[in-house]
């Protein structure tokens, strides 16, 4: 059986097919590889200089177990927002954040600690960059 074209032409076509196959396979595999993702937890301006304790979990959409979790504590002397860098694959995630202000007596009594806690659930799409999670001011009655 004779194949069409010259041997040099067939070699070039084979290299093109190998190259295209390599690119397709690497893109499919890279979807599940972890990338550096930076999360910025943006507090309300009036709450940026208060001591607080924050915990967050990151669950990929369609999964039941968190891919990662983080706990942060700040004493109120820091400037700017809370930042955390994690290695997670790109995709859609449900971020559950719980935070509470840590003050005098808050850690001593469990009922006081529960009173000052706030939580938020947000869906985010990670693409290897910086993701901002807004933490709205707690509404007091």
């Amino acid at each position: 059986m004779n194949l069409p074209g010259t041997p040099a032409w067939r070699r070039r076509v084979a290299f093109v097919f190998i190259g295209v196959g390599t690119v397709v396979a690497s893109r499919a595999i890279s979807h599940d590889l972890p990338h550096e993702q930076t999360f910025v937890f943006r507090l309300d301006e009036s709450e940026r200089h208060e001591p607080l304790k924050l915990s967050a979990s990151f669950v990929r959409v369609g999964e039941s177990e968190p891919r990662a979790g983080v706990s942060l504590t700040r004493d109120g002397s820091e400037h700017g927002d809370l930042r955390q860098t994690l290695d997670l694959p790109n995709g859609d995630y449900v971020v559950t954040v719980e935070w509470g202000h840590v003050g005098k007596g808050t850690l001593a009594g469990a009922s006081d600690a529960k009173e000052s806690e706030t939580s938020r659930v947000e869906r985010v799409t990670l693409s290897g960059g910086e993701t901002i999670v807004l933490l709205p001011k707690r509404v007091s009655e």
Side-chain angles (χ1 to χ4, degrees), residues 27-117:
R27 290 194 47 98
I29 292 171
S30 72
H31 181 71
D32 288 330
L33 292 177
H35 302 282
E36 193 171 86
Q37 314 281 352
T38 301
F39 293 91
V40 178
F41 298 99
R42 182 146 304 153
L43 292 163
D44 188 72
E45 186 66 36
S46 63
E47 297 180 334
R48 285 192 183 172
H49 301 291
E50 294 183 24
L52 82 105
K53 186 182 268 188
L54 177 137
S55 64
S57 65
F58 305 90
V59 180
R60 197 166 194 179
V61 172
E63 295 181 359
S64 59
E65 294 294 320
R67 287 274 181 126
V70 65
S71 291
L72 303 169
T73 304
R74 65 187 287 169
D75 61 13
S77 64
E78 299 89 350
H79 297 288
D81 298 314
L82 289 153
R83 294 169 110 33
Q84 183 67 37
T85 302
L86 299 169
D87 286 329
L88 291 169
N90 291 342
D92 292 331
Y93 287 81
V94 175
V95 180
T96 304
V97 183
E98 295 179 357
W99 71 100
H101 294 286
V102 180
K104 296 177 183 174
T106 304
L107 296 176
S111 61
D112 293 339
K114 270 296 187 207
E115 193 64 34
S116 66
E117 284 186 8

